[in-house]
Amino acid sequence: MPHSFGTPQLPLAPHTVSAAEVVPGDLVALSRDDVTERRWHVVIHTLPESPDVIRVTLRPPLGGTDREEVLRREQPVTAAGRRMDVAAVPLVTSPPLDGVGFRDGDRLTRLRTVDPDATEETYVRRWGAWQRHSGDDPAAPGPGEGGDERADAAAGAGAVADEEIRRWAAEADGADYVVRHEPRPAADAAAAGNGRRVVVTGLGAMTPLGVGTDALWQGLLQGRHGIRELADDAFDELPVRVAGTVPVDPAELLSRQAARRMNRAAQFAVLAAREAWADAGYAPGGTRESGIDPERVGVSLGAILGDASVLVGGDRKLRERGPRGVSPLTTPMTVPSQAASQVSLDLHITGEARTVTSACASGTEAIGQAVDRIRYGRVDVALAGGAEAVVTPAIMASFAAMRALADGDPSVASPSHPFAKDRDGFVNGEGAGVLVLESEEHARARGARIYCEAAGWGLSADAHHVAAPDPSGDGIALALRRAIRDAGGRISDVVHVNAHATATVDGDLAEARALRGVLGARNVPVTALKGHLGHLQGAAGGVEAVAAALTLHHGVMPPTVGCAEVDDAIGLDVVLGGPRALPDDGDLVLSNSFGFGGHNAVLALRRAA
């Protein structure tokens, strides 16, 4: 603000008067040097001490501490020709900051109070140093947050160290300044307009690393992968025959009657949902057995195709046996919404059963939509995530024709190389990941264990190409910033990113460029899980959100498998070699998902209080 405390913006008209002529409200300078250096004071009070001497109380025109001067009556002083209201000039001091712990996101204002036309300076602490700043958007790029300015910020160009800020505060009163420190406000979902807080209370997974979240988490920490050679004769003629497949037949884990009415993706979803439901502390069987209102519970699952094999198999039977050979279950088992409907049937959930289809961002977007349904009171509990089973000959042949698939011997190492110099494509995969989301008050009322807060999410669209990502990364960056803003957080809160990183050459570069642009010089550690799992398509966002929730809960980041040497162009701190402790200087973990056609979705999870 250019003028503090209502200082009138009148031009100065300096002229010489005697000390005996000044009265309270006059703006005066005591020497020619003071005039040159714009060091003015308001006369607050005058008191005759003798026939020849006057005691004058002076205060900086923009506020500050008082000083007293003893002047001879005939002593010349300079009057500014500006009269001020003494009562409007505040008596203020700068607080000591020696014992204050600074955090990124804190603000500091500094004002030279003896200059009536001074402009207040604002500094914001980013990446451990204080930068000159303007603007109020916590998730918008400020100085040094853009990709081109990252090197300058990292080098501390124009930055002020904590020690200098403390010195400013200690010397402010004697140096004609006022310094104010504004701690970063605590994240508040309600203040951010986000309604009720949403928390994660249950996790379930079916992945190439095995059955359940424990198999997933231990496999991630141990650096194992679940990519296998496809043994079925139907894949014999394909140029690529490796995929991330679930190592058990899900039908064998369900009753025969239930399994025959579900496609493979729905079987994965039901098994993951059952695990998540029980993990959240609810009774096996569903809402009735748990004693909760089924109308206040919802399902939100992402899927691209669900299970492509059902439609392909129905077409084959039609050609081989005629119309009578096609099962009446072909249509209900073909639709992508079957996973959500089967979960609602299995657990008797009547509030809603939603399906999101937005390519490889489907699972993450489905979780985000469930967050909003709980935030705004539509339901109290939701099972959210994704399920997919598209490891079929036709889908594999299509991806191979696009030259999008990686190949290699999975018995030697993972064929998927996210962020690596030698990355050459993704590995197709299958599975399901489901989270139980609840309003915080609902979870705490029943004494539930809370993994983390589902704090926010962001969407965007590239509008660039039917399959290729926008190389600028601008669409991804927009989704990242929206997720942070939706969580009521700041860029400085982000301590880890679970990257989409499919191991395609262009996709990994676009995501890395977006992360560098948004996170700036902060060296936020990044993990990519597709070296462990392959690309689970519509289920990827659900499974990776489960892993992100476990990362926050355990305070450990899994390593990235398949990346022997990070591509120099990536420019990120990729977690390699083994697990790493989660940094404790922030509380947000981001989980990214980006899909064909430019679908971008980012989930922001916050450390549980």
Side-chain angles (χ1 to χ4, degrees):
M1 56 186 182
H3 295 84
S4 295
F5 315 127
T7 305
Q9 298 186 46
L10 299 174
L12 298 180
H15 59 281
T16 302
V17 299
S18 68
E21 296 177 82
V22 301
V23 296
D26 281 347
L27 191 61
V28 299
L30 300 184
S31 69
R32 290 185 180 276
D33 287 345
D34 284 352
V35 175
T36 301
E37 296 170 8
R38 299 186 64 81
R39 187 180 295 112
W40 298 89
H41 287 83
V42 179
V43 176
I44 300 297
H45 185 66
T46 62
L47 178 67
E49 285 208 344
S50 72
D52 299 321
V53 174
I54 301 173
R55 184 177 294 274
V56 181
T57 302
L58 302 174
R59 186 178 299 170
L62 300 185
T65 58
D66 288 347
R67 56 183 278 198
E68 290 192 348
E69 294 287 341
V70 177
L71 306 176
R72 291 177 291 105
R73 286 180 176 273
E74 70 275 10
Q75 181 174 332
V77 297
T78 301
R82 181 184 293 183
R83 181 64 61 82
M84 300 189 66
D85 180 3
V86 172
V89 182
L91 181 65
V92 294
T93 59
S94 299
L97 299 179
D98 290 342
V100 175
F102 297 134
R103 296 181 63 194
D104 281 3
D106 286 5
R107 286 176 179 259
L108 183 124
T109 58
R110 187 174 185 242
L111 180 66
R112 188 170 184 261
T113 56
V114 294
D115 182 353
D117 298 319
T119 299
E120 189 173 66
E121 301 172 354
T122 299
Y123 293 80
V124 177
R125 192 175 189 271
R126 295 191 183 91
W127 318 308
W130 297 81
Q131 311 281 341
R132 282 290 296 271
H133 181 73
S134 62
D136 297 322
D137 185 352
E145 287 185 0
D148 293 338
E149 297 171 306
R150 184 173 178 240
D152 288 343
V160 180
D162 288 346
E163 293 75 15
E164 183 72 1
I165 293 293
R166 298 186 198 281
R167 187 182 66 79
W168 285 358
E171 299 177 357
D173 294 344
D176 301 322
Y177 278 87
V178 167
V179 171
R180 295 185 181 90
H181 172 236
E182 302 173 21
R184 186 187 82 190
D188 188 297
N194 290 344
R196 301 190 298 179
R197 287 185 186 272
V198 181
V199 296
V200 178
T201 58
L203 303 172
M206 293 286 292
T207 74
L209 287 171
V211 175
T213 56
D214 187 61
L216 169 66
W217 185 241
Q218 294 305 316
L220 295 179
L221 296 182
Q222 293 165 12
R224 293 188 284 107
H225 73 83
I227 297 170
R228 300 169 176 82
E229 186 170 353
L230 299 170
D232 194 298
D233 293 345
F235 297 97
D236 281 350
E237 303 302 319
L238 298 183
V240 177
R241 298 182 55 196
V242 295
T245 55
V246 176
V248 300
D249 182 355
E252 295 180 356
L253 304 178
L254 298 163
S255 70
R256 182 177 180 182
Q257 182 179 7
R260 66 183 296 270
R261 295 178 177 273
M262 301 182 202
N263 64 34
R264 186 174 174 89
Q267 292 170 359
F268 288 149
V270 167
L271 291 168
R274 286 181 180 179
E275 182 190 12
W277 185 257
D279 187 49
Y282 289 113
T287 57
R288 296 169 181 165
E289 293 79 1
S290 301
I292 62 173
D293 184 355
E295 296 182 6
R296 299 298 301 168
V297 184
V299 179
S300 180
L301 294 181
I304 303 175
L305 297 174
D307 184 351
S309 66
V310 177
L311 185 59
V312 172
D315 183 69
R316 184 176 64 249
K317 290 176 182 177
L318 175 65
R319 286 184 279 105
E320 292 175 353
R321 306 182 199 173
R324 292 180 180 274
V326 179
S327 167
L329 294 174
T330 299
T331 297
M333 290 175 62
T334 295
V335 293
S337 60
Q338 215 222 7
S341 67
Q342 287 294 332
V343 170
S344 72
L345 282 166
D346 189 68
L347 297 174
H348 192 69
I349 293 169
T350 64
E352 55 190 35
R354 305 160 63 85
T355 299
V356 175
T357 300
S358 53
C360 307
S362 300
T364 296
E365 184 175 346
I367 296 169
Q369 290 196 14
V371 168
D372 279 353
R373 302 298 286 174
I374 296 172
R375 276 176 173 173
Y376 301 116
R378 302 299 187 267
V379 294
D380 299 318
V381 181
L383 288 100
E388 201 80 77
V390 290
V391 182
T392 64
I395 298 297
M396 293 288 291
S398 173
F399 283 143
M402 295 169 62
R403 298 183 178 178
L405 290 182
D407 201 1
D409 185 351
S411 66
V412 176
S414 172
S416 176
H417 304 161
F419 291 139
K421 276 189 174 181
D422 62 349
R423 67 189 185 281
D424 59 353
F426 70 86
V427 172
N428 194 20
E430 64 178 8
V434 175
L435 298 82
V436 173
L437 306 176
E438 299 186 49
S439 68
E440 183 180 32
E441 59 265 36
H442 190 278
R444 295 200 183 281
R446 65 184 189 87
R449 180 228 15 247
I450 294 174
Y451 283 102
C452 60
E453 178 189 353
W457 66 299
L459 288 178
S460 71
D462 280 356
H464 174 73
H465 188 270
V466 66
D470 181 351
S472 72
D474 289 348
I476 295 172
L478 178 59
L480 289 164
R481 289 194 175 101
R482 283 177 169 172
I484 296 168
R485 187 181 302 119
D486 191 50
R490 296 177 181 270
I491 291 168
S492 55
D493 296 331
V494 179
V495 291
H496 178 57
V497 178
N498 191 308
H500 184 63
T502 60
T504 57
V505 174
D506 294 337
D508 286 10
L509 282 176
E511 182 176 10
R513 185 173 291 113
L515 287 170
R516 294 197 309 268
V518 171
L519 300 177
R522 299 184 64 247
N523 209 23
V524 176
V526 175
T527 293
L529 301 185
K530 291 180 176 63
H532 298 266
L533 305 168
H535 188 355
L536 307 190
Q537 309 298 328
V543 171
E544 288 163 10
V546 169
L550 289 169
T551 295
L552 272 170
H553 183 64
H554 294 294
V556 177
M557 300 175 291
T560 298
V561 165
C563 181
E565 185 177 1
V566 178
D567 184 351
D568 293 338
I570 294 299
L572 299 174
D573 177 18
V574 180
V575 180
L576 299 175
R580 193 191 300 179
L582 188 70
D584 59 5
D585 57 350
D587 58 8
L588 285 183
V589 167
L590 304 181
S591 184
N592 296 347
S593 294
F594 315 119
F596 284 153
H599 299 278
N600 303 311
V602 177
L603 178 67
L605 302 176
R606 175 173 285 118
R607 206 187 308 261

